[in-house]
Amino acid sequence: MGGKYLTISEFHLEGQFLGFLGDSSREYKYLRLAIASGEVQLKLPKQLRAYLGANLQPGELLQVFGLSKLNTHTGKIKFKVYGVKPLGVCPNQKNPQQTKAKILVCQKSGCRKRGGKGLLSKLEKILCERGLQDKVTIEQTGCLKCCNSAPNCVLQLGQKEFKKVHPEAIASLLENHLISSLD
């Protein structure tokens, strides 16, 4: 028998950068990219991790190049990146530093195992559906010290913090905050 992975083809994807999976810029192993058919996670080579971690902002449009490989044992496809080209910021997305609201989502192993990855995806999807993605910064964090109620996220609106809140409720709280700040 041959190796475990079989190279299928090269890929060229264009999409919106959603963030990384990993605890720090040196440990960012996967780049999360929103494309027309959904979200993909692309494995980054070690030599690109720190550079991209310091230079990419969520919301940027990217062109990503790489190889797709098939795991012959499991039948799963793995995407390995060999190049990333920034194309600019999505026209309907403002600079994340200008937002006043922030959502912290724990990505430590305990929270990830208990649904943290799904929580993050669902939160991003709901915010995008309601047109709120440019009103809030989503930050993947380390432990939020609430391990018993994992997966954990915290919504920060000005001086207020909301913990243990469902993604739908976060979107509603954010909408109410934005409406009240206009008055």
Side-chain angles (χ1 to χ4, degrees), residues 84-171:
V84 175
K85 179 181 174 186
L87 300 174
V89 177
C90 186
N92 64 354
Q93 173 115 6
K94 294 180 183 173
N95 189 346
Q97 282 86 13
Q98 296 173 346
T99 61
K100 293 183 181 174
K102 186 187 281 190
I103 301 171
L104 308 174
V105 182
C106 179
Q107 290 297 295
K108 291 299 274 188
S109 62
C111 279
R112 284 205 340 231
K113 287 176 186 174
R114 292 174 67 187
K117 203 186 280 188
L119 174 70
L120 185 62
S121 296
K122 186 172 184 176
L123 187 58
E124 288 169 338
K125 180 182 176 192
I126 289 170
L127 292 174
C128 189
E129 286 172 354
R130 293 193 184 187
L132 298 171
Q133 73 273 11
D134 60 340
K135 309 285 189 229
V136 65
T137 300
I138 298 176
E139 190 176 306
Q140 297 181 45
T141 68
C143 187
L144 294 171
K145 309 292 186 215
C146 303
C147 300
N148 290 338
S149 61
N152 289 299
C153 73
V154 175
L155 171 63
Q156 297 176 334
L157 294 174
Q159 299 297 318
K160 297 178 184 175
E161 278 193 357
F162 300 90
K163 297 179 181 180
K164 301 178 189 174
V165 184
H166 189 271
E168 287 283 346
I170 287 175

Side-chain angles (χ1 to χ4, degrees), residues 25-92:
S25 61
R26 292 190 183 269
E27 296 176 13
Y28 290 151
K29 291 185 181 178
Y30 292 89
L31 177 139
R32 296 175 47 242
L33 191 69
I35 58 174
S37 59
E39 179 186 326
V40 290
Q41 294 178 5
L42 308 163
K43 186 163 185 182
L44 293 170
K46 289 180 182 175
Q47 64 269 23
L48 279 180
R49 292 175 187 171
Y51 173 77
L52 293 176
N55 292 297
L56 290 181
Q57 294 294 319
E60 278 189 76
L61 293 177
L62 300 179
Q63 195 170 44
V64 183
F65 312 94
L67 293 173
S68 58
K69 296 185 174 196
L70 174 68
N71 182 326
T72 56
H73 299 309
T74 65
K76 291 186 178 181
I77 296 176
K78 186 177 192 176
F79 298 100
K80 292 188 89 171
V81 173
Y82 61 75
V84 175
K85 179 181 174 186
L87 300 174
V89 177
C90 186
N92 64 354

